[in-house]
Amino acid sequence: MNTKNNKRYKINCEKIETAFLTLILNHKYEDITISQICEAAEINRSTFYANFIDLYDLETAIKEKLFTLPDDTIVYPGHSEKTTIGFEKNYNMYVR
């Protein structure tokens, strides 16, 4: 069974998240499809849906991981110069 503690689950989530983050560098969020993510992650669509409900669920999972990092963690968003997790949490309306 593919549970959250399962090694296969963790590997597939990592592949899916990496594929999404790679695609978001060159595509608008609204233009990214599950099929594109699956192709980039080299997984089947059923594997995607075994791990995430939809694209918004994937986005939420990534945000939750990012926001567990310390506030002084430096990040390089695509929209500006380097910033910190804490600054983005407090001032970026798109990550709240």
Side-chain angles (χ1 to χ4, degrees):
M1 180 168 222
N2 210 16
T3 63
K4 293 192 183 238
N5 296 336
N6 183 305
K7 184 177 179 180
R8 184 182 324 160
Y9 173 86
K10 291 177 182 178
I11 290 169
N12 285 331
C13 283
E14 194 172 295
K15 288 169 68 173
I16 292 166
E17 291 166 356
T18 300
F20 173 74
L21 292 171
T22 301
L23 287 167
I24 202 75
L25 293 173
N26 298 310
H27 299 78
K28 292 180 183 176
Y29 176 84
E30 57 271 7
D31 293 338
I32 296 174
T33 65
I34 302 297
S35 294
Q36 287 174 312
I37 294 169
C38 293
E39 184 177 328
E42 298 180 340
I43 58 162
N44 294 317
R45 286 175 60 90
S46 60
T47 301
F48 178 91
Y49 289 111
N51 294 281
F52 299 99
I53 298 168
D54 55 20
L55 193 57
Y56 302 107
D57 189 34
L58 170 59
E59 175 189 11
T60 300
I62 292 170
K63 282 182 182 178
E64 287 174 358
K65 282 184 178 179
L66 283 174
F67 294 150
T68 61
L69 297 171
D71 283 351
D72 60 348
T73 301
I74 296 173
V75 292
Y76 294 86
H79 60 80
S80 66
E81 298 295 319
K82 71 180 178 180
T83 184
T84 64
I85 293 288
F87 181 86
E88 293 299 317
K89 279 196 247 183
N90 291 322
Y91 298 105
N92 186 335
M93 68 182 197
Y94 297 107
V95 297
R96 292 186 207 148

